[in-house]
Amino acid sequence: MAGADGAHFTRAMKRSTKRTTKRTTTHATKRMVQRTTDRTTDRTAGRTTQCPSDHSSDRSPSPSPSASSPRLRPVRALAPALVATLAATLLAAPAAFTPATRDPAGGGPGTGAHGAGAPATGADTAGVPPAGPPADASVPYRHFLGRAFDTCEAPTLASMRAWRASPYRAVGVYFGGRGRGCLVQKNLNADWITSVENLGWRVLPLFVGSQAPCVFAEHKKDVPIGDNPWQQGTQEADDAVRAARALGIAPSSPLYLDMEAYRISDLQCAATTLLFIRAWNREVRRQGYLPGFYSSADTGVRHLEEARKADVEDLPSVIWFARWRGTPALYEEPVLHPEAWPERSRIHQYAGNVRETYGGHSLQIDRSAVDAPVAHIADARP
């Protein structure tokens, strides 16, 4: 297309894009953004490379009484930009307007706010339907309700045997990704996965890939999401699936993307990160696995809750949020709408960097409460 027709087309497209962005600013989204406070931007500190897991910098402190009273002046200034960023993210995704792949566990196309598993309810005061749980019985997944721990490096089998005396029955395993704190996992292989499953443990697979360009943790800044986040997210999702299969983690298992705490007030960075996450989720679903997402409650999880309320597609089916309040609070997280990622779709990391000993085996761990899917292990005993 050239000449006057080309110029006319360009102007028309610009006008159309502006109208589309404006339409994306729904009343529900405005209300949601107005509730966001600027208390989240600077209070997450970097962590040392000696931390026991990939999660120490993602801690969100338990909210103080004053945290429930938003400082509206800076929020009003930020709200239009946040809405515009979400709209731009929707427009920028390649294939964002093609039918999204169905969630293998039944969350519906894209498992956005209109997932097929979303319960009908009149209690959604924000006016936006909640994300659906992974609840399609035609594609079975394994549900776990109880306590879990994770540590940077997969423990020895001797430790896993000894820790059967602990209150934990699930273990988070960092099975892949270039951003892992412990890239060398000398104990982790398919035999280890099968053995811990046969010991009675349930596995929560964590993939620590590229991180937000505005990540807080200094030692994660050397693995940033690049200039093509959609392509990169798709490729790293493929990496995650291949690594999971190599360990005997079968389809219909959850794969949890670990995105460490990042500065969501950096709107360009937030848009880049959301595109990466959405692409990763879409590809994981396409290959028959269930995408989950781990991050700080006050950064990555807050960001995805805003996206959910704005009807963004390709969001995770399971949310794993870190707020180190000392006690589990799966369904009392202030950042999440009560019916966002409802029952069987949440994990709360409620404490971290704690040392516990069972059977003479001491480990430094993070603690989580789980009401969510766990891995299918192909070669485990039935």
Side-chain angles (χ1 to χ4, degrees), residues 4-269:
D5 289 341
H8 175 74
F9 177 81
T10 300
R11 289 193 297 271
M13 284 298 293
K14 289 181 178 178
R15 290 194 299 271
S16 176
T17 300
K18 290 179 179 178
R19 289 195 299 271
T20 303
T21 303
K22 184 176 181 180
R23 286 196 300 271
T24 305
T25 312
T26 63
H27 177 64
T29 306
K30 288 179 180 177
R31 291 175 59 193
M32 171 272 298
V33 174
Q34 286 173 351
R35 289 196 298 270
T36 306
T37 73
D38 64 345
R39 65 188 172 90
T40 68
T41 56
D42 290 310
R43 69 183 177 185
T44 305
R47 62 164 190 232
T48 66
T49 57
Q50 288 76 34
C51 69
S53 76
D54 274 292
H55 292 161
S56 298
S57 69
D58 280 344
R59 175 184 63 85
S60 293
S62 182
S64 64
S66 62
S68 62
S69 302
R71 288 177 283 175
L72 295 179
R73 187 171 183 179
V75 172
R76 290 195 187 100
L78 186 59
L82 281 171
V83 171
T85 298
L86 286 172
T89 302
L90 280 168
L91 294 171
F97 301 110
T98 61
T101 305
R102 182 174 177 80
D103 186 336
T111 64
H114 300 296
T121 174
D124 190 351
T125 57
V128 180
D136 187 346
S138 65
V139 183
Y141 69 96
R142 300 181 71 195
H143 172 250
F144 174 78
L145 180 64
R147 300 204 182 193
F149 76 91
D150 66 84
T151 189
C152 189
E153 185 176 352
T156 64
L157 285 176
S159 292
M160 297 304 293
R161 289 188 189 96
W163 272 54
R164 287 184 295 179
S166 76
Y168 307 104
R169 287 297 176 268
V171 57
V173 177
Y174 296 96
F175 74 97
R178 70 188 187 119
R180 284 183 293 178
C182 294
L183 286 172
V184 177
Q185 297 275 343
K186 61 180 180 291
N187 300 316
L188 183 59
N189 52 43
D191 288 341
W192 187 93
I193 291 284
T194 301
S195 296
V196 298
E197 176 77 17
N198 289 337
L199 286 170
W201 293 96
R202 298 298 174 256
V203 175
L204 295 162
L206 284 149
F207 183 87
V208 191
S210 296
Q211 298 293 301
C214 51
V215 65
F216 287 112
E218 289 294 329
H219 68 289
K220 297 297 183 184
K221 291 182 178 179
D222 59 346
V223 288
I225 299 167
D227 294 335
N228 193 333
W230 193 270
Q231 180 180 1
Q232 191 172 354
T234 301
Q235 179 59 56
E236 293 195 26
D238 183 66
D239 294 342
V241 169
R242 285 189 289 106
R245 286 176 175 159
L247 291 171
I249 299 172
S252 78
S253 296
L255 303 180
Y256 292 93
L257 177 64
D258 181 332
M259 189 65 65
E260 301 221 8
Y262 57 97
R263 193 180 303 277
I264 59 174
S265 61
D266 182 335
L267 300 181
Q268 181 59 50
C269 175

Side-chain angles (χ1 to χ4, degrees), residues 298-332:
D298 276 333
T299 63
V301 172
R302 181 185 292 273
H303 188 195
L304 290 201
E305 173 66 343
E306 291 169 357
R308 184 194 69 85
K309 290 183 178 181
D311 286 339
V312 174
E313 290 189 339
D314 298 306
L315 297 182
S317 295
V318 190
I319 205 81
W320 188 341
F321 60 93
R323 188 181 294 282
W324 292 3
R325 58 193 301 165
T327 56
L330 272 169
Y331 298 102
E332 300 169 16

